[in-house]
Amino acid sequence: MVREPMSPVKDKNYDLIHAIQMSLQHIWQLETYIADAEDRGDSELATWFRKIQENNRKAGDQGKKLLAERLQRENG
């Protein structure tokens, strides 16, 4: 497995922010996959993509809440 170079950003919340961004990006990208599956008449695959999308939505929401709590503690 190839590792990405270490981030030049030395902020302790960087990984959290990046994980939130990836979750939200996946929600958007899965819209395309769902539409493609539906266009092909593959409802099983579309349903599976929707489940993944919902998991990403939950992860994004949890990450945003966690980030807000962390930032409030740091600045409060």
Side-chain angles (χ1 to χ4, degrees):
M1 175 182 240
V2 177
R3 290 193 63 170
E4 290 186 32
M6 287 183 54
S7 167
V9 178
K10 298 296 183 193
D11 184 284
K12 63 183 177 179
N13 291 323
Y14 175 81
D15 290 344
L16 175 57
I17 293 167
H18 190 248
I20 294 167
Q21 183 271 330
M22 289 177 17
S23 291
L24 298 176
Q25 182 177 347
H26 288 146
I27 293 167
W28 174 78
Q29 184 63 53
L30 282 159
E31 284 296 323
T32 301
Y33 300 162
I34 292 165
D36 289 347
E38 288 176 340
D39 288 347
R40 291 189 304 272
D42 194 337
S43 61
E44 179 182 35
L45 188 57
T47 297
W48 187 73
F49 286 141
R50 281 188 188 91
K51 289 178 183 177
I52 295 171
Q53 188 180 47
E54 182 58 28
N55 288 338
N56 277 278
R57 185 172 285 110
K58 287 177 185 176
D61 289 344
Q62 290 169 350
K64 289 187 289 184
K65 181 179 177 187
L66 180 60
L67 180 61
E69 290 168 355
R70 293 171 63 94
L71 292 175
Q72 187 174 29
R73 278 194 310 263
E74 290 174 9
N75 296 321

